[in-house]
Amino acid sequence: MEQAVKTTCPYCGVGCGVVATVAEDGVVSVKGDPDHPSNYGRLCSKGAALAETIDLDGRLLHPEIDGRQASWDAALDLIAAKFAGAIAEHGPDSVAFYVSGQLLTEDYYVANKLMKGFFGSANIDTNSRLCMSSSVAGHRRSFGSDTVPGTYEDLELADLVILTGSNLAWCHPVLYQRLVAAKQRRPGMKVVVIDPRRTMTADIADLHLAIRPDTDVALFVGLLAHLVSNNAVEQNYVAAHTSGFAEAFSAAAGVSFRDVLERTGLPAMQLREFYRLFTTTEKVVTCYSQGVNQSSSGTDKVNAILNCHLATGRIGRPGMGPFSLTGQPNAMGGREVGGLANMLAAHMTLESADDRDRVQRFWASPVIAEKPGLKAVDLFQAVAEGRIKALWIMATNPAVSMPDADAVAAAIKACPFVAVSDILRQTDTARLAHVLLPSLGWGEKSGTVTNSERRISRQRAFLDAPGQARADWWQLAEVARRMGFAEAFAYTAPAKIFSEHAALSAFENAGRRDFDIGAHAGIAQHAYDALAPFQWPQPAGQAPTETRFFADGGFYHAGGKARFVAVEPVESDRTNADHPFTLNTGRIRDQWHTMTRTGKSARLSSHIAEPFAELHPRDAMEIGVGNAGLVEIESPQGRVVVRALITERQARGSIFAPMHWNDQFAARARIDAVVPAITDRFSGQPASKNVAVAARRFKAQHYAFAVSRTKPVELDAAYWAVARADGGWRLELAFVAPVEAWTDWCRRTLAIPAHVEPLGYADARTGDVRLAFFEGTRLLAAFFLAREPVAVARNWAIAQLAAEHANLRRRFALVAGRPGADKPDPGATVCSCFGVGVNQIVAAVRGGCHSVEAVGKALNAGTNCGSCRAEIRGIVDGCLAAAAQ
């Protein structure tokens, strides 16, 4: 019988509702939940492809000790013994947890409780430190609490939406589409995008401010001074609900308009227009994300933004306020349970003796952490120095995602004891573990997550647990039981944990703290199973309601007032003669974190299939890199080799590279190996978007492209990148030395049976080699080699894996790399949701589709998640411009 289950997407912080349907034959399909208030049925390309990522290929299905299968008892006994031994011999600060915004709130709660209340250390930090801890620090400095004041609806109600440090179109696509729809309904709405790159989000912008990296503080400090000089300060609000305004203005007054121009590099006309728009528009929402947070001045950037909203009283009212766009599906839930090393549960603070006493009494714990623990960068430095004797990593891949990633990987490898809980057996981090624990994945686990607008939703299981995989909370509770804490961790289901979490939020609260979900304390299993999405706070006795904070004050500092924070611009240029470029790292549309989930989907790999770096055309020309050539990027920390993507969207002197690729998918593309461990002094968040690097052409003798039914093995090439493809795998290669026998190389690497002979040729003059291996009418593999980047129609070649090749002419067409007239090449994928290529869009434009909407009607492209609409518009405009010449 077909079963439909309402659950929540496991990707970004938008928190979209998903309906997962399991057919009678076990096939899973997904669609957006039309009733969920975050997305109202929309899904992005990643969410729409979720069903393609839940297979068991590569899954860790049983515990392992030192690479050998073990029982759960043996693995858990060993972890308990190692942690207990380290604590007994070296003290509680000799152990650490490194957890993740991918965990459910219930998992997070148990981990935090065990570390802070029963080990007595605060050495639990999370990969959320890498994406939103500057927002936490900024909120706490200004508001006295980590409170997001507004809601998603505010973006739709605002007359001016500012997107700073946010590529909303690619990183939060569903929220971007809500904004696009609102702007279409109200064309008078203005959108300002602040970003050094011209991202796809700039497609919606009325004004794009391409500021220099890390000059946001100067921009918003200058805005505060402009607000004062233009009498735009809401004096009544400032007087009644804030403190510290004089000091903040004094700091701002020292930054002149000319100073802002010089620091940001903006044209005076653009800067004046931005300041005018903010000054004269009451309904303003300022959204900020990683471009603000991932900075050595990230907390000051956040407070510079908050100062402007406090000064104008534009906070907590419909269509007004600052809005932090969270990167992960449950970074907010982690903040609620105290998952950061400098926080306590339920938004209580480690600095407060009263809060520590309150939490300890509630938990009835033998101890309580009395000081902040090690933040992520400091934690792994402590591992490297030998101060951490036992480390448990859960649901994250720090050997790829941490700054100075090579040093982090070496530290983990050298640590006396490392346990890793994950769903995959082979990740860059898992291979360094002494103990591997198989966790439940999306669709298998059950619990709650909190999105960017404080909305708590259920993730529900609709698949059976594979093999011996178990929930993360269960793993933690079993270790706690073995260490003598059985009574406090006697959980039998996630509902019991959520009930305790809710009760703690209400414990001795009475309005003292923002986070209160006491209405769900003591929740029964059936009510938990049926729990609908709701926004906190929801104290006991209060029905669910949409809530904003601070319209009438009510801040959480003593005295109930917000605090202006005096901030000043700092020098932002880190380049030097040896490292003259500024590297900016980030995300792309169709991949997620380190690709352990999205890398399973051929559809999601079709848009961008290999690691790349965006360079401005003149920069590329000066270092001798041609389009589709390879570029080597190097810093004192490390080096990577990636494909060059030459585009005028990138500013001169700057390079953008995504953070997703790792040693499972590419030869040397872990971009965070290049990023130094520079952090914000308040939040501890790494500065991942302003890295001084050198860039040079990577010289190869040969380049190759291949498709294969089997996953390539023993990749002996200076450069390689592998990706899923329909029917098999695709492979990009480069060689710095000749290979004696290419046929033998293909047999070894592409697992070609010995009896299969190739069809093809080798041209000694041009250096071209073309080989195709057929078994019966099926293509097993095809290999294309040249002295320059191979000009083969990739998507057409991939499609040949699923095609029948009964006649010789069709086989020779494949070897030639030329699609026949009956099988046109769709071109590089633009729309992943519907598999529409650039050549198809060009043909549609030439056939009379002269708008994005017309292309969508003809091809469906851009009609699902909408993330590709800016790219489609660029193709349409380019075709029409060419036709007009």
Side-chain angles (χ1 to χ4, degrees), residues 4 51 97 136 205 255 308 353 419 421 429 461 646 754 798 840 842 850:
F97 293 165
V136 174
V255 181
C308 294
S421 297
T429 300
I646 300 171
I798 290 165
Q840 294 169 290
V842 169
H850 293 171

Side-chain angles (χ1 to χ4, degrees), residues 346 348 358 362 499-513 515-521 538-540:
M348 286 181 267
R358 184 176 295 112
F362 180 87
S499 174
E500 182 178 314
H501 168 52
L504 176 55
S505 77
F507 184 58
E508 298 178 359
N509 191 334
R512 295 186 185 93
R513 304 185 299 274
F515 180 69
D516 184 344
I517 55 170
H520 301 282
Q538 193 187 356

Side-chain angles (χ1 to χ4, degrees), residues 21-45:
T21 301
V22 183
E24 290 186 22
D25 61 0
V27 174
V28 176
S29 60
V30 300
K31 65 178 182 179
D33 180 356
D35 301 321
H36 198 288
S38 295
N39 59 314
Y40 297 108
R42 298 181 181 93
L43 287 179
C44 74
S45 58

